Amino acid sequence: MPAHNHGEAVRKALIEARPAGASLARMCRSTKRTPAQVWAGIRFLRKIAAKEGLPPVTHTRSEGFQLSEDPEVWVAYERAIFTTELHRITNVIHEIIAPHAKREPTDEWVRLVLEQLGGVRATLEVLTRMER
């Protein structure tokens, strides 16, 4: 089945679950789809949400997946994503780029990468700490 079919089934399941969310297992049961098909539906919904006027598909461990109309839910999810990416970028800088820079301090590539990723890291830090 095409992703848009899975997306429509997932959208209906999330609307029925409002205001609460739904776990992956619950979505599989309510849509009669496999986890891979549910994920395909979620990815499809995330791609078309703005164009279709839908709220973003968010996820928390406590609530599961949601199509919440609450902007606070959206911001919390966005911050969680920024925090995850901040940790990933920080690890890349410290574990991969820094050893390269230490061994090849005159390498123009590694200097550029450090400067650019440093900017990305600073931006993500601001976004995770910013008050709303």
Side-chain angles (χ1 to χ4, degrees), residues 59 71-91 117 119-132:
H59 181 268
E72 293 301 319
V73 171
W74 308 339
V75 171
Y77 183 66
E78 291 159 0
R79 281 192 174 156
I81 290 171
F82 296 147
T83 300
T84 300
E85 293 305 318
L86 174 61
H87 290 298
R88 292 179 70 191
I89 292 295
T90 300
N91 288 342
L117 288 182
V120 170
R121 182 176 175 219
T123 300
L124 290 171
E125 283 181 4
V126 168
L127 290 171
T128 58
R129 295 181 182 163
M130 207 168 104
E131 291 297 320
R132 191 165 141 77

Short mmCIF file of all heavy atoms in Angstrom, two decimals, residues 59 71-91 117 119-132:
data_model
loop_
_atom_site.label_atom_id
_atom_site.label_comp_id
_atom_site.label_asym_id
_atom_site.label_seq_id
_atom_site.Cartn_x
_atom_site.Cartn_y
_atom_site.Cartn_z
N HIS A 59 5.57 13.34 19.61
CA HIS A 59 5.70 12.11 20.37
C HIS A 59 6.35 12.39 21.71
O HIS A 59 7.32 13.15 21.79
CB HIS A 59 6.55 11.09 19.62
CG HIS A 59 6.68 9.80 20.37
ND1 HIS A 59 7.71 9.55 21.24
CD2 HIS A 59 5.89 8.70 20.38
CE1 HIS A 59 7.55 8.35 21.76
NE2 HIS A 59 6.46 7.81 21.26
N PRO A 71 -0.04 24.45 21.09
CA PRO A 71 1.30 24.88 20.70
C PRO A 71 2.37 24.53 21.74
O PRO A 71 3.53 24.33 21.38
CB PRO A 71 1.19 26.39 20.55
CG PRO A 71 -0.26 26.63 20.29
CD PRO A 71 -1.00 25.57 21.05
N GLU A 72 2.00 24.41 23.00
CA GLU A 72 2.97 24.04 24.03
C GLU A 72 3.49 22.62 23.80
O GLU A 72 4.65 22.33 24.06
CB GLU A 72 2.37 24.17 25.44
CG GLU A 72 2.06 25.60 25.83
CD GLU A 72 3.29 26.51 25.80
OE1 GLU A 72 4.37 26.07 26.24
OE2 GLU A 72 3.16 27.66 25.34
N VAL A 73 2.64 21.74 23.32
CA VAL A 73 3.05 20.37 22.98
C VAL A 73 4.04 20.42 21.82
O VAL A 73 5.06 19.72 21.83
CB VAL A 73 1.82 19.49 22.64
CG1 VAL A 73 2.25 18.14 22.10
CG2 VAL A 73 0.94 19.32 23.87
N TRP A 74 3.77 21.27 20.83
CA TRP A 74 4.66 21.39 19.68
C TRP A 74 6.03 21.87 20.11
O TRP A 74 7.05 21.33 19.69
CB TRP A 74 4.10 22.35 18.64
CG TRP A 74 2.69 22.11 18.20
CD1 TRP A 74 1.97 20.94 18.29
CD2 TRP A 74 1.83 23.06 17.62
NE1 TRP A 74 0.72 21.12 17.79
CE2 TRP A 74 0.59 22.41 17.36
CE3 TRP A 74 1.95 24.39 17.27
CZ2 TRP A 74 -0.48 23.06 16.78
CZ3 TRP A 74 0.87 25.04 16.68
CH2 TRP A 74 -0.33 24.38 16.45
N VAL A 75 6.04 22.93 20.95
CA VAL A 75 7.32 23.51 21.39
C VAL A 75 8.11 22.51 22.22
O VAL A 75 9.32 22.38 22.05
CB VAL A 75 7.08 24.83 22.17
CG1 VAL A 75 8.36 25.31 22.81
CG2 VAL A 75 6.50 25.89 21.24
N ALA A 76 7.43 21.78 23.09
CA ALA A 76 8.12 20.78 23.91
C ALA A 76 8.76 19.71 23.01
O ALA A 76 9.90 19.29 23.26
CB ALA A 76 7.15 20.14 24.89
N TYR A 77 8.06 19.28 21.98
CA TYR A 77 8.60 18.29 21.06
C TYR A 77 9.78 18.85 20.28
O TYR A 77 10.81 18.19 20.12
CB TYR A 77 7.49 17.80 20.11
CG TYR A 77 7.95 16.71 19.18
CD1 TYR A 77 8.30 15.46 19.68
CD2 TYR A 77 8.04 16.93 17.82
CE1 TYR A 77 8.72 14.45 18.83
CE2 TYR A 77 8.46 15.92 16.96
CZ TYR A 77 8.80 14.68 17.48
OH TYR A 77 9.23 13.69 16.63
N GLU A 78 9.64 20.08 19.80
CA GLU A 78 10.73 20.72 19.07
C GLU A 78 11.98 20.85 19.94
O GLU A 78 13.10 20.57 19.50
CB GLU A 78 10.28 22.08 18.55
CG GLU A 78 9.24 21.96 17.45
CD GLU A 78 8.40 23.21 17.26
OE1 GLU A 78 8.61 24.22 17.99
OE2 GLU A 78 7.51 23.19 16.38
N ARG A 79 11.78 21.26 21.19
CA ARG A 79 12.91 21.38 22.12
C ARG A 79 13.58 20.02 22.35
O ARG A 79 14.80 19.94 22.44
CB ARG A 79 12.47 21.97 23.45
CG ARG A 79 12.32 23.44 23.39
CD ARG A 79 12.16 24.00 24.76
NE ARG A 79 12.15 25.45 24.66
CZ ARG A 79 11.62 26.24 25.52
NH1 ARG A 79 11.04 25.76 26.60
NH2 ARG A 79 11.65 27.54 25.35
N ALA A 80 12.78 18.99 22.46
CA ALA A 80 13.34 17.65 22.65
C ALA A 80 14.20 17.26 21.44
O ALA A 80 15.29 16.69 21.60
CB ALA A 80 12.23 16.63 22.86
N ILE A 81 13.74 17.60 20.25
CA ILE A 81 14.53 17.31 19.05
C ILE A 81 15.82 18.12 19.06
O ILE A 81 16.90 17.59 18.76
CB ILE A 81 13.70 17.60 17.77
CG1 ILE A 81 12.60 16.57 17.64
CG2 ILE A 81 14.60 17.61 16.53
CD1 ILE A 81 11.60 16.89 16.54
N PHE A 82 15.74 19.41 19.40
CA PHE A 82 16.94 20.25 19.44
C PHE A 82 17.93 19.73 20.48
O PHE A 82 19.13 19.75 20.25
CB PHE A 82 16.58 21.71 19.73
CG PHE A 82 15.76 22.36 18.66
CD1 PHE A 82 14.83 23.33 18.98
CD2 PHE A 82 15.90 22.01 17.32
CE1 PHE A 82 14.08 23.95 17.99
CE2 PHE A 82 15.15 22.62 16.33
CZ PHE A 82 14.23 23.59 16.67
N THR A 83 17.43 19.27 21.61
CA THR A 83 18.31 18.72 22.65
C THR A 83 19.03 17.48 22.14
O THR A 83 20.24 17.32 22.34
CB THR A 83 17.50 18.40 23.92
OG1 THR A 83 16.90 19.61 24.40
CG2 THR A 83 18.37 17.80 25.00
N THR A 84 18.30 16.60 21.47
CA THR A 84 18.91 15.40 20.90
C THR A 84 19.98 15.76 19.88
O THR A 84 21.09 15.21 19.91
CB THR A 84 17.83 14.53 20.23
OG1 THR A 84 16.87 14.14 21.22
CG2 THR A 84 18.42 13.30 19.58
N GLU A 85 19.68 16.69 19.00
CA GLU A 85 20.65 17.10 17.98
C GLU A 85 21.84 17.80 18.61
O GLU A 85 22.97 17.64 18.14
CB GLU A 85 19.98 17.98 16.92
CG GLU A 85 18.97 17.25 16.08
CD GLU A 85 19.52 16.01 15.40
OE1 GLU A 85 20.65 16.04 14.88
OE2 GLU A 85 18.79 14.99 15.38
N LEU A 86 21.62 18.57 19.67
CA LEU A 86 22.72 19.22 20.37
C LEU A 86 23.69 18.17 20.92
O LEU A 86 24.91 18.30 20.76
CB LEU A 86 22.19 20.09 21.51
CG LEU A 86 23.24 20.71 22.43
CD1 LEU A 86 24.19 21.63 21.67
CD2 LEU A 86 22.55 21.47 23.57
N HIS A 87 23.17 17.12 21.51
CA HIS A 87 24.02 16.05 22.04
C HIS A 87 24.77 15.34 20.90
O HIS A 87 25.95 15.03 21.04
CB HIS A 87 23.20 15.03 22.84
CG HIS A 87 22.70 15.57 24.13
ND1 HIS A 87 23.52 16.00 25.15
CD2 HIS A 87 21.43 15.77 24.58
CE1 HIS A 87 22.80 16.43 26.16
NE2 HIS A 87 21.52 16.30 25.83
N ARG A 88 24.10 15.11 19.80
CA ARG A 88 24.75 14.45 18.66
C ARG A 88 25.88 15.30 18.10
O ARG A 88 26.99 14.80 17.86
CB ARG A 88 23.73 14.13 17.57
CG ARG A 88 22.74 13.07 17.99
CD ARG A 88 21.73 12.79 16.93
NE ARG A 88 22.39 12.13 15.81
CZ ARG A 88 21.83 11.94 14.64
NH1 ARG A 88 20.63 12.36 14.40
NH2 ARG A 88 22.49 11.32 13.68
N ILE A 89 25.62 16.59 17.90
CA ILE A 89 26.65 17.49 17.36
C ILE A 89 27.81 17.61 18.33
O ILE A 89 28.99 17.59 17.93
CB ILE A 89 26.06 18.88 17.03
CG1 ILE A 89 25.08 18.78 15.86
CG2 ILE A 89 27.14 19.91 16.77
CD1 ILE A 89 25.70 18.38 14.54
N THR A 90 27.51 17.74 19.62
CA THR A 90 28.56 17.83 20.63
C THR A 90 29.43 16.59 20.61
O THR A 90 30.67 16.68 20.68
CB THR A 90 27.94 18.05 22.03
OG1 THR A 90 27.19 19.27 22.00
CG2 THR A 90 29.00 18.14 23.11
N ASN A 91 28.82 15.43 20.51
CA ASN A 91 29.59 14.18 20.44
C ASN A 91 30.45 14.12 19.19
O ASN A 91 31.61 13.67 19.24
CB ASN A 91 28.66 12.96 20.50
CG ASN A 91 28.08 12.76 21.88
OD1 ASN A 91 28.58 13.28 22.87
ND2 ASN A 91 26.98 12.03 21.94
N LEU A 117 30.42 23.75 12.87
CA LEU A 117 29.68 22.96 13.86
C LEU A 117 29.59 23.68 15.20
O LEU A 117 28.62 23.50 15.93
CB LEU A 117 30.32 21.57 14.03
CG LEU A 117 30.12 20.61 12.87
CD1 LEU A 117 30.77 19.27 13.18
CD2 LEU A 117 28.66 20.44 12.52
N GLY A 119 29.10 26.84 15.45
CA GLY A 119 27.94 27.71 15.26
C GLY A 119 26.63 26.97 15.39
O GLY A 119 25.67 27.46 16.00
N VAL A 120 26.57 25.78 14.81
CA VAL A 120 25.37 24.95 14.92
C VAL A 120 25.12 24.60 16.38
O VAL A 120 23.98 24.70 16.87
CB VAL A 120 25.50 23.67 14.06
CG1 VAL A 120 24.38 22.68 14.35
CG2 VAL A 120 25.56 24.02 12.59
N ARG A 121 26.16 24.23 17.07
CA ARG A 121 26.03 23.86 18.49
C ARG A 121 25.53 25.03 19.31
O ARG A 121 24.63 24.88 20.14
CB ARG A 121 27.38 23.38 19.01
CG ARG A 121 27.34 22.92 20.43
CD ARG A 121 28.69 22.37 20.85
NE ARG A 121 28.65 22.06 22.25
CZ ARG A 121 29.63 22.27 23.10
NH1 ARG A 121 30.77 22.77 22.65
NH2 ARG A 121 29.51 21.96 24.35
N ALA A 122 26.08 26.22 19.07
CA ALA A 122 25.64 27.42 19.80
C ALA A 122 24.17 27.71 19.53
O ALA A 122 23.41 28.04 20.45
CB ALA A 122 26.51 28.61 19.42
N THR A 123 23.75 27.58 18.28
CA THR A 123 22.35 27.82 17.94
C THR A 123 21.43 26.83 18.63
O THR A 123 20.39 27.21 19.19
CB THR A 123 22.15 27.73 16.41
OG1 THR A 123 22.98 28.71 15.79
CG2 THR A 123 20.70 27.94 16.02
N LEU A 124 21.80 25.56 18.63
CA LEU A 124 20.98 24.55 19.30
C LEU A 124 20.92 24.79 20.80
O LEU A 124 19.87 24.57 21.43
CB LEU A 124 21.51 23.14 18.98
CG LEU A 124 21.29 22.68 17.55
CD1 LEU A 124 22.03 21.38 17.29
CD2 LEU A 124 19.82 22.53 17.23
N GLU A 125 22.01 25.23 21.40
CA GLU A 125 22.00 25.55 22.83
C GLU A 125 21.02 26.67 23.13
O GLU A 125 20.26 26.61 24.10
CB GLU A 125 23.40 25.93 23.31
CG GLU A 125 24.30 24.74 23.52
CD GLU A 125 25.69 25.13 24.02
OE1 GLU A 125 25.94 26.32 24.28
OE2 GLU A 125 26.52 24.22 24.13
N VAL A 126 21.02 27.70 22.29
CA VAL A 126 20.08 28.81 22.48
C VAL A 126 18.65 28.32 22.36
O VAL A 126 17.80 28.66 23.18
CB VAL A 126 20.37 29.95 21.47
CG1 VAL A 126 19.25 30.97 21.45
CG2 VAL A 126 21.70 30.62 21.77
N LEU A 127 18.38 27.51 21.36
CA LEU A 127 17.02 27.02 21.13
C LEU A 127 16.52 26.12 22.27
O LEU A 127 15.34 26.14 22.60
CB LEU A 127 16.92 26.27 19.81
CG LEU A 127 17.04 27.14 18.57
CD1 LEU A 127 17.15 26.28 17.32
CD2 LEU A 127 15.89 28.11 18.45
N THR A 128 17.41 25.35 22.86
CA THR A 128 16.98 24.47 23.96
C THR A 128 16.77 25.23 25.26
O THR A 128 16.00 24.80 26.10
CB THR A 128 17.98 23.33 24.21
OG1 THR A 128 19.26 23.89 24.51
CG2 THR A 128 18.10 22.43 23.01
N ARG A 129 17.43 26.37 25.41
CA ARG A 129 17.33 27.13 26.67
C ARG A 129 16.36 28.30 26.61
O ARG A 129 16.01 28.86 27.64
CB ARG A 129 18.71 27.65 27.05
CG ARG A 129 19.66 26.53 27.38
CD ARG A 129 20.98 27.05 27.77
NE ARG A 129 21.88 25.94 28.02
CZ ARG A 129 23.17 26.03 28.06
NH1 ARG A 129 23.75 27.21 27.88
NH2 ARG A 129 23.91 24.97 28.28
N MET A 130 15.96 28.68 25.42
CA MET A 130 15.13 29.86 25.24
C MET A 130 13.79 29.71 25.94
O MET A 130 13.14 28.66 25.85
CB MET A 130 14.90 30.06 23.74
CG MET A 130 14.65 31.46 23.34
SD MET A 130 14.76 31.56 21.55
CE MET A 130 13.04 31.66 21.17
N GLU A 131 13.37 30.75 26.64
CA GLU A 131 12.06 30.75 27.28
C GLU A 131 11.01 31.19 26.29
O GLU A 131 11.26 32.01 25.43
CB GLU A 131 12.06 31.71 28.48
CG GLU A 131 12.92 31.24 29.63
CD GLU A 131 12.44 29.94 30.25
OE1 GLU A 131 11.22 29.76 30.40
OE2 GLU A 131 13.29 29.09 30.58
N ARG A 132 9.84 30.67 26.43
CA ARG A 132 8.74 31.01 25.52
C ARG A 132 7.87 32.05 26.12
O ARG A 132 7.54 32.13 27.21
CB ARG A 132 7.95 29.73 25.24
CG ARG A 132 6.98 29.90 24.13
CD ARG A 132 6.51 28.55 23.67
NE ARG A 132 5.14 28.54 23.35
CZ ARG A 132 4.64 29.05 22.22
NH1 ARG A 132 5.41 29.61 21.37
NH2 ARG A 132 3.36 28.97 21.99
#
